[in-house]
Amino acid sequence: MTTGASSSSDAVRQQLHEVKPKRNRLVIKRGAVPPAVYLMHISDKQWEKFIEAACRQRPSPKYAQVKVLGNANDKGRDVEARLQKDLVADAWDLFQAKHYSARLAPGDAYPEMAKFFLNLSKGSYPAPRKYYFCAPQNAGPELHDLLADASKLKAGFLAAWRNSTHGLGANALKISGAAEAIAEKFDFSKFEECLVHELLDWHSRDSASHFKLFGIEPERGDDPAVPEKAQPHEQVYVEELLRVYSERSGMPVQIQDVDSDSNGIYGDHFAAQREVFYAAEGLRRFSRDIYPADEFENLLQMVKKGIQPKVTSPRLTTGFDRLDAALDAVSGLSLQDSVLHPRLRGGDLPGTCHHLVNEKKLKWVR
């Protein structure tokens, strides 16, 4: 019994002492607040500029031109986003920015819709593809349900406009025959809510601006452990290293001669190259987890341009010469233009050389 209890306790202690690898993640700097909360506390103008910046990064549809128009003469257009250079019907989106402390209600939306139809009747601009309501707290339940049902939205709006309710009693918003006729024929499914999380998703595609605005820092987790044996995805750069060793020794060097062998002639060197490969692999995974664009691939291109003049020098006669020249050159590169630069670790840049070989963009042995 005593032995069994002791073994159980040892197992529990071992589990408690096992540390899970740190993962790649985004963290908010000390003193900063979550992005959605931050957006609730900015000014009306800042809200419009944020919507403009988010629209510029929208992946689909991609806008050709985005501009803030919000002022006294904006004709109901806070942000205009065109799908093509010219302003033509159904090829632009109108973003109505309402920076209120509460959720939007029909009484907030209807006056803007009336202003919109009056401007359409005057020919101020062609009909848009979409009309988006944007508010930090999004739409409340009543407006949310109306926007989900175009027929109910149309009936509710026209009734309010005709009866001068929901803030539609001002002279500037009085219904006119021409505007009413346009509203009667208009497709009310074009009125939609653009949710805060959608705007944040678009904005985050410019990661540098997004992180700066919201005080977000990318935190790099632990690099992957180096497997004892070379894995299939290492095949290309490993075979190139074997060619380097074979050329130097004058006889074929096989994987079994170097893999997990620290006592052989090339065992230590091979193990060190695998270490840095996996360091760079950790950077690649960090880039994939954090950034929408392939920033690791961008870094590889910078490294390739930086080391290629040295690696291709005619003075280098062997694969080992070219490998050593690449590893020397990469350590002296200035890569501040890469967004990954602040998170580089010691083995990353040497490891990128092997990643370039693994992608068949570089060779040691001619």
Side-chain angles (χ1 to χ4, degrees):
M1 291 293 292
T2 304
T3 303
S6 176
S7 298
S8 178
S9 299
D10 290 343
V12 170
R13 280 194 293 270
Q14 183 177 354
Q15 290 177 357
L16 290 174
H17 282 87
E18 286 180 354
V19 179
K20 291 184 177 180
K22 287 175 59 179
R23 57 187 178 85
N24 301 315
R25 59 177 185 162
L26 295 172
V27 295
I28 297 174
K29 294 179 184 178
R30 186 182 298 276
V33 297
V37 176
Y38 172 88
L39 292 175
M40 295 179 191
H41 296 90
I42 60 177
S43 69
D44 293 350
K45 292 301 178 185
Q46 288 173 317
W47 177 235
E48 292 174 358
K49 294 298 288 184
F50 171 74
I51 294 170
E52 178 190 35
C55 287
R56 291 187 189 281
Q57 302 303 321
R58 185 175 186 175
S60 180
K62 188 75 174 175
Y63 293 124
Q65 182 185 106
V66 184
K67 186 176 182 179
V68 171
L69 297 172
N71 57 42
N73 300 309
D74 64 13
K75 300 174 183 177
R77 295 167 298 171
D78 289 330
V79 177
E80 177 189 276
R82 299 183 187 181
L83 296 167
Q84 60 185 58
K85 182 180 178 181
D86 297 325
L87 183 62
V88 297
D90 296 318
W92 69 288
D93 293 340
L94 188 158
F95 288 81
Q96 183 57 232
K98 310 300 290 183
H99 197 274
Y100 294 166
S101 59
R103 294 183 177 185
L104 291 187
D108 301 315
Y110 287 173
E112 299 300 336
M113 294 166 65
K115 193 185 305 181
F116 168 69
F117 285 119
L118 287 166
N119 275 290
L120 284 182
S121 70
K122 296 173 184 176
S124 300
Y125 41 73
R129 183 188 72 100
K130 293 289 183 182
Y131 183 117
Y132 291 109
F133 289 102
C134 307
Q137 296 267 33
N138 295 318
E142 187 178 0
L143 181 59
H144 173 80
D145 290 342
L146 287 170
L147 289 170
D149 190 325
S151 60
K152 287 184 179 179
L153 177 64
K154 180 177 181 178
F157 166 71
L158 288 174
W161 207 6
R162 289 162 180 160
N163 297 319
S164 297
T165 62
H166 294 76
L168 296 174
N171 288 332
L173 296 178
K174 288 290 186 181
I175 196 169
S176 72
E180 184 178 13
I182 290 175
E184 282 284 5
K185 296 179 180 179
F186 193 77
D187 179 4
F188 272 66
S189 67
K190 290 187 175 186
F191 292 106
E192 291 187 12
E193 177 183 11
C194 188
L195 298 171
V196 170
H197 76 79
E198 292 177 310
L199 291 169
L200 285 170
D201 179 62
W202 301 346
H203 191 269
S204 68
R205 293 175 181 273
D206 180 355
S207 53
S209 296
H210 189 73
F211 294 166
K212 182 178 180 180
L213 179 63
F214 295 113
I216 297 172
E217 289 183 328
E219 184 177 86
R220 182 174 170 182
D222 294 330
D223 294 333
V226 181
E228 183 178 348
K229 298 287 185 180
Q231 302 298 299
H233 69 274
E234 300 178 66
Q235 180 180 355
V236 177
Y237 91 92
V238 165
E239 288 181 351
E240 188 67 12
L241 284 172
L242 294 177
R243 280 193 283 271
V244 168
Y245 302 148
S246 298
E247 181 187 53
R248 182 178 178 83
S249 64
M251 61 183 66
V253 176
Q254 307 296 332
I255 185 66
Q256 59 267 25
D257 299 325
V258 294
D259 204 2
S260 302
D261 177 14
S262 60
N263 297 317
I265 298 176
Y266 301 113
D268 287 342
H269 186 272
F270 181 69
Q273 306 316 304
R274 292 191 65 224
E275 285 281 352
V276 297
F277 175 85
Y278 275 93
E281 175 63 16
L283 183 65
R284 187 188 70 83
R285 296 182 187 183
F286 168 74
S287 172
R288 176 199 62 196
D289 292 346
I290 300 298
Y291 299 99
D294 193 344
E295 298 296 347
F296 184 73
E297 180 61 29
N298 293 339
L299 178 67
L300 287 186
Q301 293 308 312
M302 293 182 193
V303 169
K304 182 183 177 185
K305 288 180 181 179
I307 68 174
Q308 208 154 22
K310 292 287 185 71
V311 175
T312 57
S313 171
R315 294 176 181 157
L316 305 177
T317 58
T318 70
F320 240 125
D321 290 340
R322 283 181 279 278
L323 170 57
D324 286 344
L327 297 180
D328 287 342
V330 77
S331 63
L333 293 181
S334 179
L335 300 166
Q336 282 85 354
D337 287 345
S338 170
V339 299
L340 300 177
H341 182 265
R343 295 295 177 268
L344 290 179
R345 293 174 179 167
D348 292 344
L349 292 183
T352 60
C353 297
H354 295 301
H355 275 262
L356 284 168
V357 173
N358 216 43
E359 293 184 11
K360 300 183 179 181
K361 296 176 181 176
L362 204 63
K363 289 183 70 175
W364 308 133
V365 180
R366 291 175 180 171

